[in-house]
Amino acid sequence: VKNSWSEVNGNDGYFWLSYEDKSLTNAIAYDVEPASTFTANNNYQHDGGFSLIYYEYETINAANIFKAKSNEALVAVSVFTHEADNSPYTLRIYKNPAVLEPKKFTEGQLIYQKSGIISNAGLLTIDLDREVQLNEGDTFIVCIETNALIGFDGTQALSDGSNVISQSTASVLKNQTYISVNGANFYDVASPQNSSMPTNARIKAYTKVKAVRESTVLEYPTMKPIEFGQSLKFSELIGGEVVDLLTQA
């Protein structure tokens, strides 16, 4: 079988695979759906490279921090996993923590929670059971707890020992991704003292921007002063009828 790692990998770029070998049983298939079935029109994410990074913890809590760009409704989130086999997950969404730091962000308002199963590896989109309303400037945190291997993105070079085959470069900033192994002691993976390889979780948030109704201003004609005993036609306002105003004081 010819692989995609160039001739420096394997036997001049080839490897042997027995007909009895079951090593390909974990192959990932991708399923797609028409874009018209997806109501979101805005995508929040921090990842963007092609590195293959994950943390082998028994359970991991990964949280991505975003700021709403407008008045919008959160309708779905997604997470990419490298390995998953009917792995349970719990999704929690927090909003506007008083202090934005790893040890205190869960003190923010818990505005949504949902549990489910990640049946297999790949990209899983989680539709929310209800829309979560966000106002422009709101800080919202998407946190996923699971024993699946969540994918992370960062700067990573792949080599054959002497030559760099490929390199993914990513920008990872403070207060973008927090992780924890117990759900309590989170740390910022962009901080050098916490991680030798700053990364962002491959967790995205999808929102639907609210339609803004334009107000209509009605302008009425200026009314002239009316004197006692005067008859006045409101032809434009009441269809041409003549109104006699009472003159008694």
Side-chain angles (χ1 to χ4, degrees):
V1 179
K2 184 176 181 180
N3 61 49
S4 61
W5 295 92
S6 80
E7 294 180 357
V8 300
N9 183 266
N11 185 7
D12 293 329
Y14 290 82
F15 65 91
W16 292 95
L17 179 66
S18 168
Y19 286 110
E20 305 299 324
D21 199 319
K22 297 182 179 181
S23 62
L24 296 182
T25 57
N26 292 326
I28 300 173
Y30 292 90
D31 189 16
V32 297
E33 61 183 29
S36 59
T37 65
F38 197 57
T39 60
N41 52 22
N42 203 3
N43 174 13
Y44 289 87
Q45 69 180 80
H46 296 311
D47 62 290
F50 61 87
S51 56
L52 303 174
I53 301 171
Y54 53 88
Y55 300 92
E56 296 189 79
Y57 298 131
E58 183 175 344
T59 299
I60 189 170
N61 291 259
N64 268 6
I65 300 93
F66 305 107
K67 178 167 286 190
K69 300 176 182 177
S70 61
N71 296 336
E72 46 199 315
L74 182 63
V75 296
V77 303
S78 69
V79 58
F80 183 87
T81 59
H82 288 293
E83 290 183 14
D85 184 11
N86 292 320
S87 305
Y89 75 83
T90 298
L91 164 68
R92 299 181 180 91
I93 301 173
Y94 300 88
K95 186 172 76 171
N96 292 334
V99 179
L100 185 57
E101 63 177 51
K103 296 181 180 180
K104 293 185 177 293
F105 84 90
T106 55
E107 297 175 5
Q109 180 185 4
L110 179 61
I111 57 176
Y112 186 86
Q113 181 168 322
K114 179 180 181 177
S115 295
I117 297 294
I118 304 175
S119 58
N120 45 36
L123 181 67
L124 172 68
T125 299
I126 304 170
D127 293 316
L128 305 191
D129 304 317
R130 59 176 175 82
E131 295 183 354
V132 174
Q133 302 303 318
L134 300 170
N135 294 321
E136 182 178 358
D138 279 347
T139 297
F140 64 101
I141 299 100
V142 179
C143 182
I144 295 180
E145 178 182 358
T146 183
N147 60 5
L149 294 184
I150 293 179
F152 287 78
D153 177 42
T155 298
Q156 184 184 43
L158 299 177
S159 70
D160 61 354
S162 58
N163 299 309
V164 174
I165 299 174
S166 64
Q167 180 168 324
S168 173
T169 302
S171 173
V172 180
L173 304 178
K174 183 180 179 182
N175 290 330
Q176 288 185 337
T177 297
Y178 301 155
I179 66 172
S180 168
V181 295
N182 58 13
N185 299 319
F186 283 84
Y187 65 89
D188 192 330
V189 289
S191 177
Q193 62 264 32
N194 293 328
S195 175
S196 59
M197 182 183 294
T199 58
N200 284 132
R202 295 188 182 275
I203 295 174
K204 298 175 173 60
Y206 305 102
T207 64
K208 180 171 61 177
V209 178
K210 299 177 183 177
V212 178
R213 295 182 179 178
E214 295 183 359
S215 58
T216 301
V217 178
L218 299 178
E219 296 184 357
Y220 295 95
T222 303
M223 300 295 293
K224 296 181 179 180
I226 302 174
E227 298 179 357
F228 287 109
Q230 180 182 5
S231 293
L232 187 65
K233 291 183 177 181
F234 291 88
S235 58
E236 293 183 359
L237 300 179
I238 56 176
E241 295 183 7
V242 176
V243 178
D244 291 327
L245 303 179
L246 297 178
T247 59
Q248 281 83 6

